[in-house]
Amino acid sequence: MSLPVERGLAKTFAGHIHWRACGPDGGQAPVVMVSHINQQSSAVMVELLQALAPDFRAIAIDYPSHGHSDHIDWQPAIEDYARCVVEVMDALKIERAFAMGEAVGAATSIALGSRWPQRIDKAVLINIPYFSDADTAKNDIADIAKVRPSDESGFPAPRSIKFLLENDPEHAPMQPTQSWMDRINTAQLEIGRDRWQAVQAYAGFDLFGTLAKLTCPVLMLYGEKFIYGKYRDRVHAGCPRATLDIVPGGRFCMTWERANDIAQHARTFLA
């Protein structure tokens, strides 16, 4: 039986931030702060929250402009997303937590651990993207834009599973369901024309400089088929004391498709 998911809003420097939570409240269990993928929302993290919930209080936010959070009219940095997580923790009276996230969410978790070491005990970093330089980032983002259709005004258009698997399988789970695709399309509509904020934030993120500042224990999880997985040893070299594990058969959106596997890795590492 799936555990119930709670929802709420926290007032932050970036407006009201929406959050979802699952698991024992009131200090009865350790807290895991979960950060989502670019152009998605906490709605796609529900399965992970529920998988973590028997042992943790799992909380996922929507970044500014995403999901049910307020939109912002300025370009955020990854550190701004991390600050939102901390201010949600403050609003919920959470002093310390573990950080977990996939892709842009992994970067947010890195920023959390490096800037607020007194608040973050361990970090689980899933499918960390890698841009070798600014030109690579620009080209990769342009390639993504080609397969993210929009109307003539730039507002996102829905995609079908067939379209996704034929045009952009690298950014899809191995076996997407209609429930997942519906949530992805909904998240795109919620972000609207602001949907490039998060990936632009990642393009400007100092991955290696921020990794080097991490002092907490770190687990890096990569899907075997993740598009940037070929760079995992390069990224791991930026934090060599981190534990590096591969999820066999995993690709993208592992926090959804492989939620139970991710939760099991987390239980072992966070114990």
Side-chain angles (χ1 to χ4, degrees), residues 12-258:
T12 74
F13 79 101
H16 287 89
I17 294 296
H18 175 256
W19 53 265
R20 286 178 165 89
C22 192
D25 197 3
Q28 301 176 61
V31 175
V32 181
M33 298 301 296
V34 178
S35 298
H36 63 77
I37 295 171
N38 162 54
Q39 298 190 6
Q40 297 189 16
S41 76
S42 62
V44 193
M45 293 292 188
V46 167
E47 286 83 355
L48 179 61
L49 299 183
Q50 292 173 326
L52 290 167
D55 303 290
F56 302 97
R57 174 71 169 173
I59 303 170
I61 74 161
D62 295 338
Y63 305 138
S65 300
H66 293 67
H68 294 283
S69 291
D70 287 346
H71 279 247
I72 54 175
D73 60 2
W74 45 273
Q75 174 58 53
I78 292 296
E79 289 79 7
D80 293 315
Y81 295 157
R83 180 179 171 186
C84 286
V85 174
V86 169
E87 293 195 11
V88 169
M89 289 172 63
D90 290 342
L92 298 178
K93 300 186 180 348
I94 296 166
E95 184 59 32
R96 303 185 69 88
F98 302 124
M100 177 185 294
E102 183 171 2
V104 165
T108 300
S109 298
I110 294 167
L112 274 167
S114 67
R115 290 211 168 190
W116 289 273
Q118 74 280 14
R119 309 291 297 273
I120 301 299
D121 293 320
K122 295 183 180 182
V124 179
L125 313 176
I126 304 156
N127 282 342
I128 306 169
Y130 174 71
F131 297 148
S132 58
D133 53 41
D135 286 340
T136 300
K138 182 178 179 180
N139 291 336
D140 283 9
I141 293 169
D143 287 342
I144 294 171
K146 292 174 184 175
V147 292
R148 303 283 168 94
S150 60
D151 66 16
E152 61 275 9
S153 75
F155 198 84
R159 294 171 292 167
S160 67
I161 293 175
K162 181 174 183 291
F163 177 93
L164 180 66
L165 293 180
E166 288 179 352
N167 294 277
D168 192 23
E170 295 87 357
H171 292 97
M174 297 299 291
Q175 298 292 331
T177 65
Q178 194 60 55
S179 170
W180 175 83
M181 193 76 251
D182 289 348
R183 279 180 277 173
I184 294 297
N185 282 328
T186 298
Q188 291 277 316
L189 297 176
E190 289 167 337
I191 303 165
R193 298 178 190 88
D194 294 325
R195 65 173 166 169
W196 301 107
Q197 286 180 354
V199 72
Q200 292 293 347
Y202 191 78
F205 181 58
D206 181 4
L207 173 60
F208 291 105
T210 314
L211 269 176
K213 296 175 183 176
L214 277 178
T215 57
C216 67
V218 175
L219 171 63
M220 295 181 179
L221 291 176
Y222 277 86
E224 178 187 10
K225 301 178 183 298
F226 177 51
I227 184 173
Y228 294 106
K230 58 189 175 183
Y231 301 115
R232 59 180 174 257
D233 290 337
R234 173 76 181 90
V235 175
H236 184 239
C239 188
R241 59 186 178 75
T243 300
L244 174 63
D245 284 337
I246 309 301
V247 178
R251 187 163 61 192
F252 198 52
C253 299
M254 290 202 303
T255 41
W256 170 77
E257 185 169 37
R258 304 294 290 273

